[in-house]
Amino acid sequence: MSATPLKSTNSGEQSALQRWSRYLYQHQFVRFLLVGGTATALQYLFLVLLVELTGTPKVACSAIAFALSAVYNYLANYYFTFQATHKHRESSLKFAVVVVLGLALNTLVFYIADIVLPHYLLAQIIATGVTLISNFLLHKFWIYRS
């Protein structure tokens, strides 16, 4: 019995995964949103766990969750979004400054929104939205610029 080789795909045809990979490679802001979205999901997961399972005040839980998700955010942006070539020592120090600024902005907005809105997750959504654009600009033009 002879083995029949698998039919190769036409070089002009691409799989959906290949098209999506090329799209991500070409669109840095989309990669930033993807990384930010997954980091935000981690942040919300940590927030809910901390609020629901501990007696810690909600504002502190929000700050802790933000800080925990920052490690993933840094590594994913360094390697995936911006394909940085700087040494971690240089990029991570800048990232730490941005995290502190983002943490301060997130905490302030969360504090105010939590007073006004009926649920802490709504307050976190507002806080997340406020920090998105400033974080992208600081990442792109200061932390990972070539």
Side-chain angles (χ1 to χ4, degrees), residues 3-32:
T4 306
L6 292 174
K7 190 180 198 180
S8 64
T9 60
N10 184 344
S11 63
E13 296 177 18
Q14 293 181 341
S15 71
L17 181 61
Q18 289 170 323
R19 287 190 305 274
W20 178 243
S21 295
R22 183 183 304 141
Y23 179 81
L24 285 176
Y25 180 77
Q26 294 172 344
H27 294 88
Q28 191 175 63
F29 187 69
V30 174
R31 291 192 311 269
F32 183 79

PDB file of all heavy atoms in Angstrom, residues 3-32:
ATOM      1  N   ALA A   3       1.575   5.293   0.277  1.00  0.00           N
ATOM      2  CA  ALA A   3       0.997   6.455   0.962  1.00  0.00           C
ATOM      3  C   ALA A   3       0.778   7.560  -0.052  1.00  0.00           C
ATOM      4  O   ALA A   3       1.637   7.853  -0.867  1.00  0.00           O
ATOM      5  CB  ALA A   3       1.932   6.937   2.060  1.00  0.00           C
ATOM      6  N   THR A   4      -0.384   8.140  -0.006  1.00  0.00           N
ATOM      7  CA  THR A   4      -0.691   9.255  -0.888  1.00  0.00           C
ATOM      8  C   THR A   4      -0.393  10.546  -0.139  1.00  0.00           C
ATOM      9  O   THR A   4      -0.901  10.732   0.961  1.00  0.00           O
ATOM     10  CB  THR A   4      -2.185   9.235  -1.289  1.00  0.00           C
ATOM     11  OG1 THR A   4      -2.470   7.961  -1.825  1.00  0.00           O
ATOM     12  CG2 THR A   4      -2.507  10.327  -2.275  1.00  0.00           C
ATOM     13  N   PRO A   5       0.429  11.412  -0.722  1.00  0.00           N
ATOM     14  CA  PRO A   5       0.737  12.651  -0.010  1.00  0.00           C
ATOM     15  C   PRO A   5      -0.513  13.519   0.141  1.00  0.00           C
ATOM     16  O   PRO A   5      -1.390  13.495  -0.708  1.00  0.00           O
ATOM     17  CB  PRO A   5       1.791  13.328  -0.883  1.00  0.00           C
ATOM     18  CG  PRO A   5       1.683  12.699  -2.226  1.00  0.00           C
ATOM     19  CD  PRO A   5       1.076  11.336  -2.021  1.00  0.00           C
ATOM     20  N   LEU A   6      -0.547  14.228   1.236  1.00  0.00           N
ATOM     21  CA  LEU A   6      -1.655  15.147   1.442  1.00  0.00           C
ATOM     22  C   LEU A   6      -1.612  16.246   0.406  1.00  0.00           C
ATOM     23  O   LEU A   6      -0.547  16.712   0.018  1.00  0.00           O
ATOM     24  CB  LEU A   6      -1.580  15.763   2.842  1.00  0.00           C
ATOM     25  CG  LEU A   6      -1.834  14.826   4.012  1.00  0.00           C
ATOM     26  CD1 LEU A   6      -1.589  15.553   5.316  1.00  0.00           C
ATOM     27  CD2 LEU A   6      -3.251  14.293   3.966  1.00  0.00           C
ATOM     28  N   LYS A   7      -2.760  16.638  -0.025  1.00  0.00           N
ATOM     29  CA  LYS A   7      -2.862  17.693  -1.010  1.00  0.00           C
ATOM     30  C   LYS A   7      -2.424  19.011  -0.369  1.00  0.00           C
ATOM     31  O   LYS A   7      -2.933  19.390   0.669  1.00  0.00           O
ATOM     32  CB  LYS A   7      -4.311  17.780  -1.481  1.00  0.00           C
ATOM     33  CG  LYS A   7      -4.537  18.661  -2.659  1.00  0.00           C
ATOM     34  CD  LYS A   7      -6.014  18.629  -2.981  1.00  0.00           C
ATOM     35  CE  LYS A   7      -6.318  19.098  -4.358  1.00  0.00           C
ATOM     36  NZ  LYS A   7      -7.734  19.055  -4.644  1.00  0.00           N
ATOM     37  N   SER A   8      -1.456  19.676  -0.950  1.00  0.00           N
ATOM     38  CA  SER A   8      -1.011  20.945  -0.388  1.00  0.00           C
ATOM     39  C   SER A   8      -1.973  22.041  -0.809  1.00  0.00           C
ATOM     40  O   SER A   8      -2.567  21.995  -1.872  1.00  0.00           O
ATOM     41  CB  SER A   8       0.405  21.278  -0.839  1.00  0.00           C
ATOM     42  OG  SER A   8       0.432  21.458  -2.231  1.00  0.00           O
ATOM     43  N   THR A   9      -2.080  23.027   0.063  1.00  0.00           N
ATOM     44  CA  THR A   9      -2.983  24.131  -0.257  1.00  0.00           C
ATOM     45  C   THR A   9      -2.301  25.069  -1.222  1.00  0.00           C
ATOM     46  O   THR A   9      -1.083  25.194  -1.252  1.00  0.00           O
ATOM     47  CB  THR A   9      -3.374  24.901   1.016  1.00  0.00           C
ATOM     48  OG1 THR A   9      -2.188  25.405   1.610  1.00  0.00           O
ATOM     49  CG2 THR A   9      -4.121  24.026   1.988  1.00  0.00           C
ATOM     50  N   ASN A  10      -3.079  25.719  -2.006  1.00  0.00           N
ATOM     51  CA  ASN A  10      -2.602  26.699  -2.957  1.00  0.00           C
ATOM     52  C   ASN A  10      -1.901  27.817  -2.193  1.00  0.00           C
ATOM     53  O   ASN A  10      -2.362  28.255  -1.164  1.00  0.00           O
ATOM     54  CB  ASN A  10      -3.794  27.240  -3.749  1.00  0.00           C
ATOM     55  CG  ASN A  10      -3.377  28.212  -4.837  1.00  0.00           C
ATOM     56  OD1 ASN A  10      -2.261  28.717  -4.849  1.00  0.00           O
ATOM     57  ND2 ASN A  10      -4.299  28.459  -5.745  1.00  0.00           N
ATOM     58  N   SER A  11      -0.764  28.284  -2.710  1.00  0.00           N
ATOM     59  CA  SER A  11      -0.014  29.321  -2.002  1.00  0.00           C
ATOM     60  C   SER A  11      -0.824  30.605  -1.863  1.00  0.00           C
ATOM     61  O   SER A  11      -0.545  31.418  -1.005  1.00  0.00           O
ATOM     62  CB  SER A  11       1.314  29.593  -2.712  1.00  0.00           C
ATOM     63  OG  SER A  11       1.068  30.082  -4.016  1.00  0.00           O
ATOM     64  N   GLY A  12      -1.827  30.795  -2.693  1.00  0.00           N
ATOM     65  CA  GLY A  12      -2.655  31.991  -2.608  1.00  0.00           C
ATOM     66  C   GLY A  12      -3.716  31.885  -1.523  1.00  0.00           C
ATOM     67  O   GLY A  12      -4.282  32.882  -1.110  1.00  0.00           O
ATOM     68  N   GLU A  13      -3.990  30.675  -1.084  1.00  0.00           N
ATOM     69  CA  GLU A  13      -5.007  30.480  -0.052  1.00  0.00           C
ATOM     70  C   GLU A  13      -4.358  30.527   1.319  1.00  0.00           C
ATOM     71  O   GLU A  13      -3.264  30.034   1.520  1.00  0.00           O
ATOM     72  CB  GLU A  13      -5.681  29.119  -0.235  1.00  0.00           C
ATOM     73  CG  GLU A  13      -6.451  28.980  -1.515  1.00  0.00           C
ATOM     74  CD  GLU A  13      -7.033  27.587  -1.673  1.00  0.00           C
ATOM     75  OE1 GLU A  13      -7.132  26.857  -0.677  1.00  0.00           O
ATOM     76  OE2 GLU A  13      -7.353  27.237  -2.818  1.00  0.00           O
ATOM     77  N   GLN A  14      -5.074  31.138   2.256  1.00  0.00           N
ATOM     78  CA  GLN A  14      -4.574  31.202   3.616  1.00  0.00           C
ATOM     79  C   GLN A  14      -5.683  30.760   4.558  1.00  0.00           C
ATOM     80  O   GLN A  14      -6.854  31.012   4.311  1.00  0.00           O
ATOM     81  CB  GLN A  14      -4.168  32.624   3.993  1.00  0.00           C
ATOM     82  CG  GLN A  14      -2.990  33.148   3.247  1.00  0.00           C
ATOM     83  CD  GLN A  14      -2.654  34.561   3.713  1.00  0.00           C
ATOM     84  OE1 GLN A  14      -3.473  35.231   4.296  1.00  0.00           O
ATOM     85  NE2 GLN A  14      -1.441  34.977   3.435  1.00  0.00           N
ATOM     86  N   SER A  15      -5.271  30.147   5.632  1.00  0.00           N
ATOM     87  CA  SER A  15      -6.253  29.765   6.634  1.00  0.00           C
ATOM     88  C   SER A  15      -6.681  31.009   7.398  1.00  0.00           C
ATOM     89  O   SER A  15      -6.019  32.046   7.366  1.00  0.00           O
ATOM     90  CB  SER A  15      -5.649  28.743   7.602  1.00  0.00           C
ATOM     91  OG  SER A  15      -4.698  29.370   8.439  1.00  0.00           O
ATOM     92  N   ALA A  16      -7.793  30.884   8.073  1.00  0.00           N
ATOM     93  CA  ALA A  16      -8.276  31.999   8.887  1.00  0.00           C
ATOM     94  C   ALA A  16      -7.248  32.355   9.957  1.00  0.00           C
ATOM     95  O   ALA A  16      -7.032  33.530  10.251  1.00  0.00           O
ATOM     96  CB  ALA A  16      -9.613  31.643   9.521  1.00  0.00           C
ATOM     97  N   LEU A  17      -6.577  31.351  10.507  1.00  0.00           N
ATOM     98  CA  LEU A  17      -5.557  31.597  11.525  1.00  0.00           C
ATOM     99  C   LEU A  17      -4.385  32.381  10.947  1.00  0.00           C
ATOM    100  O   LEU A  17      -3.875  33.308  11.578  1.00  0.00           O
ATOM    101  CB  LEU A  17      -5.076  30.277  12.126  1.00  0.00           C
ATOM    102  CG  LEU A  17      -4.023  30.385  13.218  1.00  0.00           C
ATOM    103  CD1 LEU A  17      -4.554  31.187  14.404  1.00  0.00           C
ATOM    104  CD2 LEU A  17      -3.605  28.993  13.674  1.00  0.00           C
ATOM    105  N   GLN A  18      -3.971  32.041   9.741  1.00  0.00           N
ATOM    106  CA  GLN A  18      -2.875  32.767   9.100  1.00  0.00           C
ATOM    107  C   GLN A  18      -3.270  34.213   8.813  1.00  0.00           C
ATOM    108  O   GLN A  18      -2.473  35.130   9.021  1.00  0.00           O
ATOM    109  CB  GLN A  18      -2.459  32.079   7.802  1.00  0.00           C
ATOM    110  CG  GLN A  18      -1.734  30.776   8.008  1.00  0.00           C
ATOM    111  CD  GLN A  18      -1.554  30.019   6.708  1.00  0.00           C
ATOM    112  OE1 GLN A  18      -2.422  30.023   5.841  1.00  0.00           O
ATOM    113  NE2 GLN A  18      -0.415  29.357   6.586  1.00  0.00           N
ATOM    114  N   ARG A  19      -4.500  34.423   8.334  1.00  0.00           N
ATOM    115  CA  ARG A  19      -4.969  35.795   8.079  1.00  0.00           C
ATOM    116  C   ARG A  19      -5.040  36.592   9.377  1.00  0.00           C
ATOM    117  O   ARG A  19      -4.635  37.745   9.438  1.00  0.00           O
ATOM    118  CB  ARG A  19      -6.326  35.779   7.381  1.00  0.00           C
ATOM    119  CG  ARG A  19      -6.257  35.358   5.923  1.00  0.00           C
ATOM    120  CD  ARG A  19      -7.571  35.595   5.191  1.00  0.00           C
ATOM    121  NE  ARG A  19      -8.715  34.967   5.809  1.00  0.00           N
ATOM    122  CZ  ARG A  19      -9.120  33.715   5.609  1.00  0.00           C
ATOM    123  NH1 ARG A  19      -8.439  32.928   4.791  1.00  0.00           N
ATOM    124  NH2 ARG A  19     -10.189  33.245   6.203  1.00  0.00           N
ATOM    125  N   TRP A  20      -5.557  35.980  10.444  1.00  0.00           N
ATOM    126  CA  TRP A  20      -5.659  36.648  11.745  1.00  0.00           C
ATOM    127  C   TRP A  20      -4.266  36.967  12.282  1.00  0.00           C
ATOM    128  O   TRP A  20      -4.028  38.054  12.797  1.00  0.00           O
ATOM    129  CB  TRP A  20      -6.442  35.774  12.709  1.00  0.00           C
ATOM    130  CG  TRP A  20      -6.579  36.327  14.099  1.00  0.00           C
ATOM    131  CD1 TRP A  20      -6.089  35.773  15.232  1.00  0.00           C
ATOM    132  CD2 TRP A  20      -7.231  37.525  14.511  1.00  0.00           C
ATOM    133  NE1 TRP A  20      -6.397  36.557  16.325  1.00  0.00           N
ATOM    134  CE2 TRP A  20      -7.101  37.636  15.902  1.00  0.00           C
ATOM    135  CE3 TRP A  20      -7.917  38.528  13.829  1.00  0.00           C
ATOM    136  CZ2 TRP A  20      -7.620  38.697  16.633  1.00  0.00           C
ATOM    137  CZ3 TRP A  20      -8.430  39.589  14.562  1.00  0.00           C
ATOM    138  CH2 TRP A  20      -8.294  39.666  15.937  1.00  0.00           C
ATOM    139  N   SER A  21      -3.324  36.041  12.135  1.00  0.00           N
ATOM    140  CA  SER A  21      -1.954  36.272  12.592  1.00  0.00           C
ATOM    141  C   SER A  21      -1.322  37.450  11.854  1.00  0.00           C
ATOM    142  O   SER A  21      -0.669  38.295  12.457  1.00  0.00           O
ATOM    143  CB  SER A  21      -1.094  35.030  12.382  1.00  0.00           C
ATOM    144  OG  SER A  21      -1.557  33.978  13.176  1.00  0.00           O
ATOM    145  N   ARG A  22      -1.521  37.508  10.541  1.00  0.00           N
ATOM    146  CA  ARG A  22      -0.978  38.620   9.766  1.00  0.00           C
ATOM    147  C   ARG A  22      -1.624  39.940  10.177  1.00  0.00           C
ATOM    148  O   ARG A  22      -0.956  40.952  10.329  1.00  0.00           O
ATOM    149  CB  ARG A  22      -1.164  38.420   8.276  1.00  0.00           C
ATOM    150  CG  ARG A  22      -0.509  39.598   7.515  1.00  0.00           C
ATOM    151  CD  ARG A  22      -0.656  39.596   6.025  1.00  0.00           C
ATOM    152  NE  ARG A  22      -0.167  38.385   5.439  1.00  0.00           N
ATOM    153  CZ  ARG A  22      -0.776  37.789   4.406  1.00  0.00           C
ATOM    154  NH1 ARG A  22      -1.863  38.292   3.900  1.00  0.00           N
ATOM    155  NH2 ARG A  22      -0.292  36.690   3.900  1.00  0.00           N
ATOM    156  N   TYR A  23      -2.937  39.915  10.394  1.00  0.00           N
ATOM    157  CA  TYR A  23      -3.658  41.115  10.818  1.00  0.00           C
ATOM    158  C   TYR A  23      -3.106  41.627  12.151  1.00  0.00           C
ATOM    159  O   TYR A  23      -2.836  42.811  12.316  1.00  0.00           O
ATOM    160  CB  TYR A  23      -5.154  40.814  10.932  1.00  0.00           C
ATOM    161  CG  TYR A  23      -5.979  41.992  11.386  1.00  0.00           C
ATOM    162  CD1 TYR A  23      -6.354  42.975  10.476  1.00  0.00           C
ATOM    163  CD2 TYR A  23      -6.363  42.125  12.713  1.00  0.00           C
ATOM    164  CE1 TYR A  23      -7.093  44.071  10.886  1.00  0.00           C
ATOM    165  CE2 TYR A  23      -7.105  43.206  13.131  1.00  0.00           C
ATOM    166  CZ  TYR A  23      -7.476  44.182  12.218  1.00  0.00           C
ATOM    167  OH  TYR A  23      -8.205  45.265  12.623  1.00  0.00           O
ATOM    168  N   LEU A  24      -2.915  40.711  13.109  1.00  0.00           N
ATOM    169  CA  LEU A  24      -2.376  41.109  14.408  1.00  0.00           C
ATOM    170  C   LEU A  24      -0.973  41.681  14.273  1.00  0.00           C
ATOM    171  O   LEU A  24      -0.621  42.660  14.929  1.00  0.00           O
ATOM    172  CB  LEU A  24      -2.358  39.919  15.374  1.00  0.00           C
ATOM    173  CG  LEU A  24      -3.698  39.504  15.945  1.00  0.00           C
ATOM    174  CD1 LEU A  24      -3.531  38.258  16.803  1.00  0.00           C
ATOM    175  CD2 LEU A  24      -4.334  40.620  16.752  1.00  0.00           C
ATOM    176  N   TYR A  25      -0.168  41.060  13.426  1.00  0.00           N
ATOM    177  CA  TYR A  25       1.197  41.532  13.235  1.00  0.00           C
ATOM    178  C   TYR A  25       1.212  42.947  12.668  1.00  0.00           C
ATOM    179  O   TYR A  25       2.040  43.766  13.047  1.00  0.00           O
ATOM    180  CB  TYR A  25       1.947  40.575  12.310  1.00  0.00           C
ATOM    181  CG  TYR A  25       3.372  41.006  12.067  1.00  0.00           C
ATOM    182  CD1 TYR A  25       4.347  40.796  13.044  1.00  0.00           C
ATOM    183  CD2 TYR A  25       3.743  41.630  10.891  1.00  0.00           C
ATOM    184  CE1 TYR A  25       5.654  41.195  12.854  1.00  0.00           C
ATOM    185  CE2 TYR A  25       5.046  42.029  10.684  1.00  0.00           C
ATOM    186  CZ  TYR A  25       5.995  41.819  11.663  1.00  0.00           C
ATOM    187  OH  TYR A  25       7.288  42.221  11.459  1.00  0.00           O
ATOM    188  N   GLN A  26       0.278  43.254  11.790  1.00  0.00           N
ATOM    189  CA  GLN A  26       0.248  44.550  11.125  1.00  0.00           C
ATOM    190  C   GLN A  26      -0.453  45.638  11.931  1.00  0.00           C
ATOM    191  O   GLN A  26      -0.290  46.805  11.633  1.00  0.00           O
ATOM    192  CB  GLN A  26      -0.435  44.421   9.757  1.00  0.00           C
ATOM    193  CG  GLN A  26       0.346  43.574   8.789  1.00  0.00           C
ATOM    194  CD  GLN A  26      -0.427  43.294   7.511  1.00  0.00           C
ATOM    195  OE1 GLN A  26      -1.636  43.465   7.443  1.00  0.00           O
ATOM    196  NE2 GLN A  26       0.284  42.836   6.497  1.00  0.00           N
ATOM    197  N   HIS A  27      -1.221  45.280  12.926  1.00  0.00           N
ATOM    198  CA  HIS A  27      -2.027  46.259  13.658  1.00  0.00           C
ATOM    199  C   HIS A  27      -1.675  46.254  15.147  1.00  0.00           C
ATOM    200  O   HIS A  27      -2.268  45.537  15.946  1.00  0.00           O
ATOM    201  CB  HIS A  27      -3.514  45.973  13.445  1.00  0.00           C
ATOM    202  CG  HIS A  27      -3.936  46.171  12.030  1.00  0.00           C
ATOM    203  ND1 HIS A  27      -3.853  45.166  11.092  1.00  0.00           N
ATOM    204  CD2 HIS A  27      -4.411  47.260  11.388  1.00  0.00           C
ATOM    205  CE1 HIS A  27      -4.280  45.638   9.935  1.00  0.00           C
ATOM    206  NE2 HIS A  27      -4.610  46.903  10.076  1.00  0.00           N
ATOM    207  N   GLN A  28      -0.735  47.097  15.467  1.00  0.00           N
ATOM    208  CA  GLN A  28      -0.214  47.156  16.828  1.00  0.00           C
ATOM    209  C   GLN A  28      -1.289  47.518  17.845  1.00  0.00           C
ATOM    210  O   GLN A  28      -1.325  46.959  18.945  1.00  0.00           O
ATOM    211  CB  GLN A  28       0.919  48.184  16.870  1.00  0.00           C
ATOM    212  CG  GLN A  28       1.720  48.169  18.128  1.00  0.00           C
ATOM    213  CD  GLN A  28       2.883  49.116  18.017  1.00  0.00           C
ATOM    214  OE1 GLN A  28       2.688  50.323  17.877  1.00  0.00           O
ATOM    215  NE2 GLN A  28       4.090  48.576  18.063  1.00  0.00           N
ATOM    216  N   PHE A  29      -2.184  48.432  17.507  1.00  0.00           N
ATOM    217  CA  PHE A  29      -3.224  48.827  18.454  1.00  0.00           C
ATOM    218  C   PHE A  29      -4.165  47.666  18.740  1.00  0.00           C
ATOM    219  O   PHE A  29      -4.611  47.491  19.869  1.00  0.00           O
ATOM    220  CB  PHE A  29      -4.006  50.047  17.954  1.00  0.00           C
ATOM    221  CG  PHE A  29      -4.973  50.593  18.973  1.00  0.00           C
ATOM    222  CD1 PHE A  29      -4.499  51.215  20.123  1.00  0.00           C
ATOM    223  CD2 PHE A  29      -6.338  50.475  18.801  1.00  0.00           C
ATOM    224  CE1 PHE A  29      -5.378  51.709  21.080  1.00  0.00           C
ATOM    225  CE2 PHE A  29      -7.220  50.966  19.754  1.00  0.00           C
ATOM    226  CZ  PHE A  29      -6.739  51.593  20.893  1.00  0.00           C
ATOM    227  N   VAL A  30      -4.451  46.835  17.747  1.00  0.00           N
ATOM    228  CA  VAL A  30      -5.299  45.659  17.966  1.00  0.00           C
ATOM    229  C   VAL A  30      -4.604  44.693  18.922  1.00  0.00           C
ATOM    230  O   VAL A  30      -5.235  44.145  19.834  1.00  0.00           O
ATOM    231  CB  VAL A  30      -5.652  44.964  16.628  1.00  0.00           C
ATOM    232  CG1 VAL A  30      -6.403  43.665  16.866  1.00  0.00           C
ATOM    233  CG2 VAL A  30      -6.476  45.897  15.752  1.00  0.00           C
ATOM    234  N   ARG A  31      -3.297  44.495  18.742  1.00  0.00           N
ATOM    235  CA  ARG A  31      -2.545  43.640  19.674  1.00  0.00           C
ATOM    236  C   ARG A  31      -2.570  44.228  21.081  1.00  0.00           C
ATOM    237  O   ARG A  31      -2.721  43.509  22.067  1.00  0.00           O
ATOM    238  CB  ARG A  31      -1.099  43.454  19.193  1.00  0.00           C
ATOM    239  CG  ARG A  31      -0.976  42.626  17.931  1.00  0.00           C
ATOM    240  CD  ARG A  31       0.461  42.220  17.634  1.00  0.00           C
ATOM    241  NE  ARG A  31       1.431  43.288  17.698  1.00  0.00           N
ATOM    242  CZ  ARG A  31       1.806  44.049  16.669  1.00  0.00           C
ATOM    243  NH1 ARG A  31       1.265  43.865  15.470  1.00  0.00           N
ATOM    244  NH2 ARG A  31       2.724  44.977  16.825  1.00  0.00           N
ATOM    245  N   PHE A  32      -2.426  45.547  21.164  1.00  0.00           N
ATOM    246  CA  PHE A  32      -2.475  46.214  22.466  1.00  0.00           C
ATOM    247  C   PHE A  32      -3.834  45.999  23.130  1.00  0.00           C
ATOM    248  O   PHE A  32      -3.920  45.712  24.327  1.00  0.00           O
ATOM    249  CB  PHE A  32      -2.195  47.713  22.301  1.00  0.00           C
ATOM    250  CG  PHE A  32      -2.165  48.467  23.591  1.00  0.00           C
ATOM    251  CD1 PHE A  32      -1.047  48.436  24.400  1.00  0.00           C
ATOM    252  CD2 PHE A  32      -3.254  49.212  24.000  1.00  0.00           C
ATOM    253  CE1 PHE A  32      -1.015  49.142  25.594  1.00  0.00           C
ATOM    254  CE2 PHE A  32      -3.233  49.921  25.191  1.00  0.00           C
ATOM    255  CZ  PHE A  32      -2.103  49.877  25.991  1.00  0.00           C
TER     256      PHE A  32
END
